[in-house]
Amino acid sequence: GIQVEQSPPDLILQEGANSTLRCNFSDSVNNLQWFHQNPWGQLINLFYIPSGTKQNGRLSATTVATERYSLLYISSSQTTDSGVYFCAVASLLYTGRRALTFGSGTRLQVQP
Amino acid sequence: EAQVTQNPRYLITVTGKKLTVTCSQNMNHEYMSWYRQDPGLGLRQIYYSMNVEVTDKGDVPEGYKVSRKEKRNFPLILESPSPNQTSLYFCASSLDPDRGPNYGYTFGSGTRLTVV
């Protein structure tokens, strides 16, 4: 099946700093999403971005499908950004059931 | 508000006592799915449904049942829960990507289940 690797695994920032999270995937995808899992366990959908660039406030994401990677940018980080960030992909090449394959996540801690 | 609603959010139960976790979506999505999340194992798909009365197994279906009698609802049933089913469960839904624009999966808020 498709492989998803995220880096870095852990990240500690001071409030106000910027960061870039990376997601590499092993094959072509028709779905790529970034999620934020908050300390209460909720999975919040940040971006649906199988290709191209999107921005939402302090967050933006870019997926270069031909090179099989995606980047999530967090600018001016806040303590509420803390949690685990997951990249998840799906490819009809591997399964018709459209299951998402999740990376292992980047654990972000923003310190005041 | 477009959302996937799971209930309950937290549940502690005893081994062998049947339980149902409900999932409902208000977005008219065809596709619904259940995942479980465990430390070190990540999120894994349990069951999925392509539409009403169409369900199939995911990666870890043992010990679970599902049904899809209505488009909006997709309950997860544990007939005889065991401690190894202690986990964080998520329901998700999406449009069928073959039928039109797809904006990805929307996840419910999760159900934290403990089986003692």
Side-chain angles (χ1 to χ4, degrees):
Chain A
I2 198 164
Q3 306 297 314
V4 182
E5 293 183 356
Q6 291 186 242
S7 59
D10 296 280
L11 189 56
I12 300 175
L13 299 175
Q14 291 298 123
E15 203 167 21
N18 303 328
S19 61
T20 301
L21 283 57
R22 186 176 179 102
C23 172
N24 293 331
F25 44 95
S26 60
D27 214 321
S28 59
V29 299
N30 62 344
N31 182 358
L32 187 147
Q33 290 181 252
W34 283 97
F35 294 93
H36 174 216
Q37 188 165 36
N38 63 24
W40 295 271
Q42 294 174 307
L43 272 175
I44 310 300
N45 183 17
L46 299 176
F47 294 104
Y48 168 73
I49 187 166
S51 64
T53 297
K54 291 185 178 179
Q55 181 157 6
N56 185 3
R58 295 181 297 103
L59 302 181
S60 64
T62 295
T63 296
V64 183
T66 53
E67 297 186 25
R68 299 179 187 166
Y69 73 88
S70 184
L71 302 173
L72 177 69
Y73 305 97
I74 305 174
S75 64
S76 304
S77 58
Q78 301 175 357
T79 55
T80 51
D81 294 331
S82 297
V84 183
Y85 289 80
F86 289 103
C87 170
V89 303
S91 171
L92 287 178
L93 293 176
Y94 285 100
T95 172
R97 55 187 171 86
R98 305 190 183 94
L100 284 174
T101 299
F102 283 77
S104 53
T106 292
R107 185 174 300 275
L108 174 64
Q109 183 180 346
V110 181
Q111 297 179 335
Chain B
E1 179 188 352
Q3 60 185 358
V4 177
T5 303
Q6 290 179 232
N7 280 297
R9 289 291 311 280
Y10 301 91
L11 179 60
I12 301 174
T13 190
V14 296
T15 299
K17 185 177 181 181
K18 181 179 178 180
L19 67 91
T20 299
V21 184
T22 63
C23 174
S24 180
Q25 50 93 6
N26 62 1
M27 297 167 281
N28 202 35
H29 284 172
E30 294 90 359
Y31 183 92
M32 297 185 75
S33 182
W34 278 100
Y35 289 80
R36 62 177 287 175
Q37 184 180 24
D38 303 288
L41 297 175
L43 284 104
R44 296 174 292 170
Q45 190 185 58
I46 303 170
Y47 267 96
Y48 68 99
S49 169
M50 302 291 283
N51 214 324
V52 176
E53 302 293 359
V54 180
T55 64
D56 208 345
K57 298 176 181 178
D59 296 316
V60 288
E62 295 77 21
Y64 304 95
K65 286 176 57 177
V66 293
S67 69
R68 187 90 180 273
K69 295 184 171 59
E70 306 164 282
K71 199 172 187 179
R72 62 184 292 124
N73 295 323
F74 190 45
L76 180 69
I77 302 157
L78 285 72
E79 294 270 358
S80 182
S82 62
N84 64 13
Q85 292 178 298
T86 293
S87 187
L88 178 57
Y89 291 86
F90 290 99
C91 180
S93 73
S94 79
L95 288 168
D96 184 339
D98 292 337
R99 293 179 180 270
N102 192 319
Y103 302 99
Y105 293 81
T106 300
F107 278 74
S109 297
T111 296
R112 196 171 294 275
L113 172 66
T114 302
V115 183
V116 298

